């Protein structure tokens, strides 16, 4: 059981890092492109690539919420680990909230 718990924790760390990197990439690459592109050029680009972006980020979003919680319960008896996984979950929620509010601000403004 300990090996399975360790594997799940490693997978969770990889997913969290990938999720964070994806959110940084979306912010730095796509939003700057959005600001500089002509509206029709951006819409053409978006029509072509949006489904791929959603297909890639959707599983990352879900795994970044679910896996830290799973890990939290796997190590519930180990106080130090339990705290780290709770913090990981909280930081994932914060990254999602910041990304969402930042995207919403750009949509409306």
């Amino acid at each position: 059981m300990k090996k399975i718990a360790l594997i799940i924790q490693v997978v969770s760390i990889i997913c969290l890092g990938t999720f964070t990197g994806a959110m940084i990439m979306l912010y730095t690459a796509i939003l700057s492109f959005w600001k500089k592109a002509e509206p029709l050029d951006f819409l053409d680009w978006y029509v072509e690539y949006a489904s791929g972006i959603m297909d890639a980020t959707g599983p990352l979003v879900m795994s970044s919420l679910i896996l830290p919680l799973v890990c939290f319960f796997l190590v519930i008896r180990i106080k130090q680990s339990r705290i780290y996984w709770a913090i990981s979950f909280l930081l994932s929620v914060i990254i999602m909230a910041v990304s969402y509010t930042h995207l919403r601000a750009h949509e409306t403004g």
Side-chain angles (χ1 to χ4, degrees), residues 4-47:
I4 292 172
L6 180 63
I7 290 169
I8 292 171
Q9 290 179 66
V10 170
V11 168
S12 181
I13 291 167
I14 291 168
C15 286
L16 288 167
T18 305
F19 167 71
T20 303
M23 292 299 108
I24 291 169
M25 185 276 305
L26 287 173
Y27 174 73
T28 58
I30 294 175
L31 286 180
S32 63
F33 173 63
W34 181 8
K35 288 179 181 179
K36 294 176 185 174
E38 293 294 320
L40 291 178
D41 291 339
F42 180 78
L43 289 176
D44 289 341
W45 179 90
Y46 187 80
V47 165

Side-chain angles (χ1 to χ4, degrees), residues 46-83:
Y46 187 80
V47 165
E48 188 169 340
Y49 295 106
S51 66
I53 293 169
M54 297 306 157
D55 290 345
T57 57
L60 288 174
V61 169
M62 295 310 296
S63 65
S64 295
L65 288 175
I66 294 169
L67 286 173
L69 288 177
V70 169
C71 291
F72 175 85
F73 288 109
L74 285 173
V75 298
I76 198 144
R77 292 188 176 147
I78 306 168
K79 182 181 179 183
Q80 195 74 19
S81 295
R82 186 177 65 225
I83 290 169

